[in-house]
Every structure is written in C-alpha cells, then in structure tokens.
Amino acid sequence: MLPTQRQIYDHPDSSGAITLHTAEDFEGMHAAGRLAAECLDMITEHVRPGVSTGELDRRIQDFVEDNGAVSATIGYRGYQHASCISINEVVCHGIPSDEEQLVDKDILNIDVTVIVDGWHGDTSRMYIVGGSSFPTREKLVRVTYEALWHGINTVRPGATLGDVGAAIQKHGEKAGFSIVRQFVGHGLGEQFHMAPNIFHFGKPGKGVELVPGMLFTIEPMLNVGTYRVEIDESDGWTARTRDRKSSAQFEHSVGVTADGFEIFTTSPKGFEQPPYL
C-alpha cells in the first residue's frame, strides 16, 4: 500500500533524496495529469499545415488559464512559453514561434506541464502533420510510443530504474533507432523536477529500487541516427540531433503503487498515439 504519510527514501544510486507520496497526493497528481492530457487532446485538431507553433502555444496557454491552472514552464529558468514544440530533428525544448509554420508530413512533439492546486502534471505526445509522414518517421513515432510502454510496464515495487531504462533501450535499438542519453525523466509532484533521474537506457537490476509512493516521468527520446544532441547556442534551449535526422518523444507521469503503477496523464479522448483523428 502507499505510505500513510510522506516519507523520504534515500538510495545511494539516486541523484538526491526521493519523496514517497500518499494516496491523497496521488489524487492531486491525477487532477493535474488529467488537465495536462486534456490540453494535448484540445490542441490535436489545430495541428495542421500552415499553423504556426506560436499559435499552438497561445491556444495551450489560454486553455490552461481558462481552467484555473498555471503553466509550469512560463518563467521557468527564463522560459516564456506554455509549451515546448519540437519539430522533426528537434529532440526537445523547441521554442514556439510565429515564424515557424507546420508543413505537411512534419512530425512534432508537444510538451506541456500544468500546475493544479500545487501539483504538476507533465506529459508530451507526438503529432503527425497532415495525418501521415514518411515511412521512417512514422516508424520512429510508433516505436517511441512502444518504448515508452515497455518502460512503464516494467514499473513495480522491487524493480529498478535500470530495468525501466533497459526495457526502453532494448526495444528502441532492436528497431534500429538510438536512445538519447543527454535528457532524462525526473521525479515530480509539488515540484517540477525532483529526484530520481529516469534514464531511458541502462542495465537490468541496476539503479534505484522502486518502492510505492514514488512519482516520476518516463519520457524516452529516440533518434533515427546518432543519439548525440546539440543545444542551440542562440537560445540556450533548442536541442537538435547532431546529424539533423528525425527524433521522437512521448511522456507520461506515473506513480509506483503496491502492485504496479498508475498513469496520471492518460488521454481522456484516447489520443495516445497518432493518428488521433
């Protein structure tokens, strides 16, 4: 069962002390996660050729505010947008812009984090502009979604974060894609980023052992080519594949329960992987 009061879990392989959360905390995470998922559901019909990423971001910000929530990314380390929108070779942290318009067959990741009553709901999905893309890109999107679930299905008490990473890595590399190492999932709750770090590669049996009450994101990023990434020096945020080949990412926020896991960011409309409409 979940702890009846919050506890601190120290593990030598963790990046810091891990907070173990209660059933009441899980309820707060479900509320935040649901709104984040509803936001990505809402934006789906607007992802089409000719629409700018800046317009998508404004719609997301309006949705969050209209629902009485707060965007966790606005003001975070100087970031000024309600979402990250990463197209094709952009791995993550793509900055929305009115100058950047979607083109048929683009693939893009939209990443949102909302705060509801102090709790953070963090999730991202891939979208395919025009409903279809090039075969390699479509395969990349599908395999990345599958890899996310290979990781999630490994979550249970007694498993390790190495088990989670190894499951993701095995599935992605078997399909011929590389696993980004520079960016990781993270603990969350009443803070945006907490211990532990969630690596999307690893060795079975290694790393932090999972226990009930842990909250974290799993957000694998897979690339067509090299796993190596470059950060745009002009903005300090945009991460691109070094070889400029396509990248994809999916993200859920999850909690460890007594017998497995709960997902907080499931799509209410069933928009879990493209094609959504």
Side-chain angles (χ1 to χ4, degrees):
M1 61 184 297
L2 294 173
T4 56
Q5 60 183 11
R6 290 186 201 171
Q7 301 174 15
I8 298 298
Y9 173 42
D10 285 311
H11 192 285
D13 292 328
S14 175
S15 54
I18 301 169
T19 301
L20 303 181
H21 293 81
T22 67
E24 183 177 356
D25 297 340
F26 271 51
E27 292 178 5
M29 287 296 294
H30 274 292
R34 181 179 177 87
L35 184 63
E38 288 174 342
C39 184
L40 293 185
D41 285 355
M42 175 278 300
I43 205 65
T44 302
E45 65 179 306
H46 303 289
V47 177
R48 57 181 184 268
V51 174
S52 73
T53 56
E55 178 182 338
L56 296 178
D57 185 70
R58 285 190 291 275
R59 289 183 181 276
I60 288 169
Q61 182 174 350
D62 289 345
F63 179 88
V64 173
E65 293 175 353
D66 289 346
N67 281 275
V70 174
S71 170
T73 55
I74 296 178
Y76 180 77
R77 296 184 178 179
Y79 196 77
Q80 295 301 316
H81 300 275
S83 63
C84 294
I85 302 180
S86 305
I87 301 177
N88 298 334
E89 78 278 4
V90 178
V91 177
C92 60
H93 302 160
I95 301 176
S97 167
D98 288 333
E99 286 70 46
E100 185 174 49
Q101 295 187 341
L102 302 181
V103 176
D104 190 46
K105 298 189 183 302
D106 278 344
I107 60 171
L108 65 151
N109 177 271
I110 302 180
D111 189 344
V112 300
T113 305
V114 303
I115 306 174
V116 177
D117 296 329
W119 295 97
H120 289 71
D122 188 0
T123 186
S124 79
R125 291 180 211 156
M126 293 300 297
Y127 298 79
I128 299 177
V129 181
S132 65
S133 188
F134 302 107
T136 299
R137 285 181 178 174
E138 289 193 351
K139 179 183 177 183
L140 174 68
V141 171
R142 174 179 57 80
V143 171
T144 303
Y145 178 76
E146 293 169 352
L148 168 72
W149 272 97
H150 276 266
I152 290 174
N153 284 326
T154 307
V155 174
R156 65 181 66 85
T160 69
L161 290 180
D163 296 334
V164 175
I168 292 169
Q169 181 179 12
K170 180 179 179 180
H171 186 73
E173 291 182 346
K174 182 178 180 181
F177 300 118
S178 63
I179 315 299
V180 172
R181 287 153 167 74
Q182 191 166 339
F183 300 100
V184 298
H186 53 88
L188 80 169
E190 290 183 308
Q191 297 180 41
F192 194 171
H193 294 94
M194 305 166 62
N197 289 331
I198 312 299
F199 294 92
H200 304 113
F201 61 96
K203 296 182 178 180
K206 299 295 184 180
V208 176
E209 181 177 334
L210 303 183
V211 297
M214 293 174 67
L215 305 174
F216 49 81
T217 68
I218 301 178
E219 45 185 300
M221 305 168 205
L222 275 61
N223 296 345
V224 170
T226 179
Y227 67 82
R228 298 187 184 279
V229 172
E230 295 178 343
I231 308 298
D232 191 326
E233 293 183 358
S234 68
D235 61 40
W237 284 101
T238 307
R240 293 183 174 86
T241 57
R242 184 170 293 182
D243 57 12
R244 300 300 189 262
K245 294 182 179 180
S246 296
S247 181
Q249 176 191 19
F250 283 90
E251 175 184 14
H252 272 313
S253 296
V254 303
V256 183
T257 64
D259 57 0
F261 60 84
E262 291 183 11
I263 300 176
F264 305 119
T265 47
T266 300
S267 165
K269 291 187 176 181
F271 294 171
E272 290 292 331
Q273 61 174 323
Y276 300 118
L277 298 178

